């Protein structure tokens, strides 16, 4: 019974968990490890799955906690990564920004504070409802909405800038 | 007569307050002559010696930190008894009866686990672990000032590599 | 770009779109030939969605479930047998270990056993460790459902 629930409710989420972990940790290897650990944890608690309203959010929340745990244990400094990236974007080769749209998006996302970045990821990439995002990050609905609004506003601003300079190609 | 009652009352009172490791002690006595059970005790004197050691690695540091506030360790274990499950049930009942607060249990058809604690003013003074199933049985008591957070970190730090190292150490000694 | 998409886009930037509308928008703009910065943005998001984990996960089952605890327990027993402690103690009722080296190894293995037990049984790390020193709040089995 709980085994089936694990297979039908948790296993299909593992790519989402991976992408979420990747968005936080940035390293595919580390994200992979963390998700493995999460799956083991959830497997051990599989009896609980039937008692949970939204196992998907639950799994994502566990992933988030595990990521930050991993950061703590490994004394991995996310802030430093952010800072160096942020410095980068100001002096970045504009050309490069447009050529590689992935790099371009990464640069934008990297300038966001961690919380906003997570919300952005969960909404834009995983297409989760506001309430689900609020649950995963233990925030209020309002906080999530405002965060996303600001992020989009910022991105739109950047996009406009790029389009006006006519470099978007 | 009155004096007698006084002493009995006193005995009860002190039993309530100071009865550390009462379950494990009773199991020590119960299986004193049973070869299938091994009984071990590490004294507080020994623990105080550990704290003088220097840690080489981070995992080691974590371990020494966990150990530094401990005052004693007692274990009764067996790995080849017929009905470990029944013994587990008996032991968990004894632990509960002795007034320990249950911290967590893991029930599994094959092997079950119980963690119970005795606390005083928010400090965990004793941690009892019972594991039973198949032909294995473990009853373990840790005394002192117990920091569960710290202890639970030990296994995570050591992980598989650590276990392999421990295994090797043990073989080297033979 | 048709007017409907344009309208939707405006709504999107004001963060007023529903998930369904956003999906529609991304579908349309993610595949469009246009190379505006806006289209690039949606294409980049689409790319992110393609990332897959290639994680294969076999149910560990009971064997792995308990292997830490079991191995640690075996190590303790092995240590006792290896050092002759198992035999020696049968002749005396004194169980205290006097050799510091053995005592240390024993304690190490015992703590590893306790530690792995704590980790196996419950996800102490993420949720309850902050509260673990307030024992009243750690009636773990019953409070499991509060995790989420």
């Amino acid at each position: 019974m709980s085994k089936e629930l694990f297979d039908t409710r948790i296993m299909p989420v593992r790519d989402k968990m991976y992408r979420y972990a990747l968005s936080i940790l940035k390293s595919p290897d580390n994200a992979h490890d963390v998700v493995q650990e999460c799956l083991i944890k959830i497997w051990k608690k599989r009896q609980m799955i039937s008692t949970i309203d939204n196992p998907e959010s639950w799994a994502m929340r566990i992933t988030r906690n595990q990521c930050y745990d991993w950061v703590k244990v490994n004394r991995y400094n996310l802030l430093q990564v952010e800072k160096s990236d942020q410095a980068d974007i100001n002096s970045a080769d504009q050309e490069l920004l447009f050529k590689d749209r992935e790099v371009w998006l990464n640069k934008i996302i990297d300038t966001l504070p961690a919380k906003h970045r997570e919300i952005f990821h969960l909404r834009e990439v995983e297409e989760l409802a506001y309430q689900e995002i609020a649950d995963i990050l233990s925030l209020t609905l309002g906080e999530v909405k405002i965060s996303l609004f600001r992020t989009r506003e910022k991105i739109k601003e950047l996009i406009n800038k790029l389009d006006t300079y006519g470099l978007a190609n | 007569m009155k004096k007698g009652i006084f002493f009995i009352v006193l005995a009860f009172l002190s039993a309530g307050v100071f009865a550390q490791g009462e379950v494990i002690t009773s199991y020590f006595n119960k299986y004193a002559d049973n070869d299938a059970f091994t009984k071990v005790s590490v004294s507080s004197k020994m623990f105080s010696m550990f704290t003088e050691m220097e840690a080489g690695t981070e995992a080691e540091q974590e371990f020494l930190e966990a150990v530094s506030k401990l005052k004693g360790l007692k274990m009764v274990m067996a790995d080849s008894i017929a009905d470990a499950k029944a013994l587990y049930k008996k032991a968990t009942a004894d632990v509960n009866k002795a007034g320990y607060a249950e911290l967590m249990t893991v029930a599994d058809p094959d092997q079950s686990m119980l963690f119970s604690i005795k606390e005083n003013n928010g400090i965990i003074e004793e941690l009892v672990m019972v594991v039973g199933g198949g032909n294995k049985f473990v009853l373990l008591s840790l005394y002192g000032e117990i920091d569960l957070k710290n202890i639970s970190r030990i296994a995570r730090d050591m992980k598989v590599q650590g276990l392999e190292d421990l295994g090797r150490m043990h073989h080297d000694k033979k | 770009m048709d007017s409907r998409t344009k309208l939707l886009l405006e709504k999107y930037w004001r963060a007023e779109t529903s998930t369904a509308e956003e999906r529609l928008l991304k579908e349309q703009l993610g595949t469009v030939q246009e190379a505006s910065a806006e289209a690039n943005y949606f294409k980049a998001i689409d790319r992110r969605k393609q990332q897959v984990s290639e994680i294969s996960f076999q149910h560990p089952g009971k064997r792995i479930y308990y292997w830490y605890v079991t191995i640690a327990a075996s190590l303790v027993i092995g240590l006792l047998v290896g050092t002759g402690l198992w035999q020696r103690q049968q002749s005396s009722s004194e169980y205290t270990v006097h050799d510091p080296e053995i005592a240390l190894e024993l304690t190490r293995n015992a703590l590893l056993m306790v530690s792995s037990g704590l980790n196996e049984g419950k996800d102490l790390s993420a949720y309850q460790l902050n509260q673990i020193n307030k024992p009243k709040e750690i009636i773990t089995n019953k409070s499991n459902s509060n995790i989420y």
Side-chain angles (χ1 to χ4, degrees):
Chain A
M1 167 64 176
S2 50
K3 181 187 163 297
E4 277 157 31
L5 279 175
F6 183 85
D7 283 339
T8 56
R9 305 298 300 266
I10 304 296
M11 286 307 274
V13 189
R14 67 187 190 280
D15 283 342
K16 275 190 187 187
M17 292 165 70
Y18 170 75
R19 283 191 292 263
Y20 190 22
L22 186 62
S23 82
I24 296 170
L25 300 172
K26 301 202 177 91
S27 143
D29 284 348
N30 295 338
H32 197 282
D33 287 354
V34 164
V35 174
Q36 280 286 1
E37 284 170 26
C38 289
L39 288 172
I40 293 170
K41 273 189 178 173
I42 296 169
W43 169 254
K44 281 180 201 151
K45 290 190 287 198
R46 61 192 180 281
Q47 271 83 8
M48 282 172 63
I49 300 173
S50 61
T51 66
I52 286 162
D53 295 338
N54 189 340
E56 183 178 291
S57 302
W58 181 62
M60 292 294 266
R61 190 170 166 164
I62 289 176
T63 307
R64 178 171 199 267
N65 285 328
Q66 191 76 7
C67 282
Y68 284 105
D69 240 41
W70 188 93
V71 169
K72 236 183 278 161
V73 169
N74 292 281
R75 293 179 175 73
Y76 180 76
N77 202 339
L78 285 176
L79 281 173
Q80 247 160 33
V81 177
E82 275 171 33
K83 270 189 194 126
S84 65
D85 277 356
Q86 212 153 3
D88 233 34
I89 196 166
N90 296 329
S91 60
D93 182 357
Q94 298 268 308
E95 233 5 62
L96 187 79
L97 290 182
F98 312 120
K99 265 190 187 149
D100 192 339
R101 52 180 187 248
E102 236 175 311
V103 173
W104 178 77
L105 184 68
N106 286 346
K107 297 274 179 198
I108 294 180
I109 292 173
D110 283 340
T111 60
L112 303 171
K115 199 205 286 173
H116 294 274
R117 194 164 54 207
E118 280 183 45
I119 293 168
F120 175 83
H121 173 85
L122 294 173
R123 180 67 179 192
E124 306 294 3
V125 180
E126 305 305 349
E127 300 171 350
L128 298 183
Y130 290 131
Q131 188 57 57
E132 287 176 294
I133 299 170
D135 287 344
I136 293 168
L137 281 102
S138 309
L139 295 171
T140 64
L141 206 60
E143 285 172 313
V144 173
K145 281 183 182 166
I146 288 169
S147 160
L148 193 75
F149 174 73
R150 297 241 167 93
T151 303
R152 282 189 185 163
E153 203 176 35
K154 191 174 173 185
I155 291 170
K156 179 66 179 157
E157 216 174 278
L158 273 164
I159 286 176
N160 284 345
K161 223 183 262 173
L162 296 177
D163 272 341
T164 11
Y165 293 139
L167 290 163
N169 184 23
Chain B
M1 180 58 194
K2 258 188 187 160
K3 227 178 195 175
I5 291 171
F6 173 73
F7 275 116
I8 289 169
V9 170
L10 192 72
F12 268 111
L13 279 177
S14 52
V17 180
F18 298 112
Q20 266 199 343
E22 55 183 299
V23 175
I24 191 117
T25 309
S26 77
Y27 275 74
F28 265 49
N29 297 332
K30 196 168 165 188
Y31 294 104
D33 298 322
N34 193 330
D35 288 2
F37 291 83
T38 191
K39 289 126 291 193
V40 191
S41 170
V42 178
S43 66
S44 63
K45 189 163 163 270
M46 203 57 97
F47 275 104
S48 65
M49 283 172 71
F50 295 162
T51 56
E52 285 159 26
M53 296 186 8
E54 275 176 39
T57 63
E58 222 166 273
E60 185 83 348
Q61 180 64 43
E62 203 79 68
F63 166 71
L64 288 177
E65 230 176 274
V67 156
S68 69
K69 283 179 177 167
L70 297 181
K71 294 263 185 291
L73 162 71
K74 280 185 179 151
M75 270 189 289
V76 175
M77 38 198 328
D79 67 347
S80 53
I81 53 168
D83 201 357
K85 197 98 221 193
L87 189 54
Y88 172 80
K89 271 189 189 154
K90 174 84 174 64
T92 50
D94 287 343
V95 170
N96 288 336
K97 235 186 292 165
Y100 290 85
E102 188 179 308
L103 183 66
M104 69 183 220
T105 56
V106 180
D108 193 274
D110 280 357
Q111 194 172 28
S112 300
M113 217 163 37
L114 166 83
F115 282 93
S116 286
I117 52 168
K118 202 161 249 189
E119 52 137 349
N120 189 10
N121 290 330
I123 293 165
I124 300 172
E125 293 185 324
E126 186 181 351
L127 173 74
V128 177
M129 177 191 188
V130 190
V131 184
N135 47 18
K136 280 199 175 70
F137 172 80
V138 179
L139 173 64
L140 177 151
S141 262
L142 269 179
Y143 328 90
E145 201 175 303
I146 293 159
D147 180 355
L148 288 179
K149 195 171 173 174
N150 189 283
I151 290 178
S152 75
R153 239 182 275 139
I154 292 174
R156 258 181 285 156
D157 284 357
M158 292 189 179
K159 288 251 167 102
V160 184
Q161 187 56 45
L163 280 169
E164 280 168 2
D165 287 348
L166 286 171
R168 207 166 45 239
M169 264 187 238
H170 152 58
H171 286 303
D172 288 347
K173 280 218 179 79
K174 261 194 202 170
Chain C
M1 202 189 294
D2 57 47
S3 59
R4 196 168 153 258
T5 312
K6 261 188 190 135
L7 227 71
L8 216 54
L9 248 178
E10 273 166 35
K11 232 177 127 186
Y12 171 87
W13 293 118
R14 289 197 307 267
E16 287 165 5
T17 36
S18 69
T19 40
E21 285 171 326
E22 283 170 23
R23 205 168 298 144
L24 190 73
L25 195 59
K26 282 167 196 168
E27 254 167 46
Q28 286 171 353
L29 285 165
T31 52
V32 86
Q33 286 301 309
E34 208 179 326
S36 69
E38 214 165 33
N40 273 343
Y41 165 75
F42 285 104
K43 275 178 194 155
I45 287 178
D46 203 55
R47 287 273 307 188
R48 289 208 158 199
K49 244 177 271 183
Q50 312 298 323
Q51 293 169 324
V52 286
S53 59
E54 287 164 23
I55 286 174
S56 59
F57 181 75
Q58 296 295 315
H59 298 166
K62 282 155 208 150
R63 295 287 152 248
I64 296 176
Y65 195 11
Y66 275 107
W67 73 280
Y68 267 169
V69 183
T70 309
I71 285 180
S74 308
L75 282 173
V76 177
I77 292 174
L79 186 73
L80 293 170
V81 174
T83 53
L85 222 81
W86 189 294
Q87 295 307 313
R88 211 185 305 152
Q89 67 169 222
Q90 306 311 334
S91 52
S92 76
S93 56
E94 176 63 69
Y95 308 123
T96 309
V97 183
H98 293 292
D99 183 330
E101 215 180 309
I102 296 172
L104 182 66
E105 268 327 288
L106 201 71
T107 308
R108 196 195 298 277
N109 289 334
L111 279 188
L112 182 60
M113 178 165 70
V114 173
S115 181
S116 37
L118 286 170
N119 282 307
E120 290 292 323
K122 182 96 212 342
D123 180 10
L124 285 158
S125 58
Y127 310 104
Q128 258 134 354
L129 274 185
N130 299 330
Q131 309 179 345
I132 210 88
N133 285 323
K134 295 180 246 159
K136 270 164 219 101
E137 294 178 50
I138 35 174
I139 317 146
T140 47
N141 280 332
K142 289 116 208 167
S143 65
N144 266 348
S145 48
N146 294 338
I147 282 171
Y148 169 64

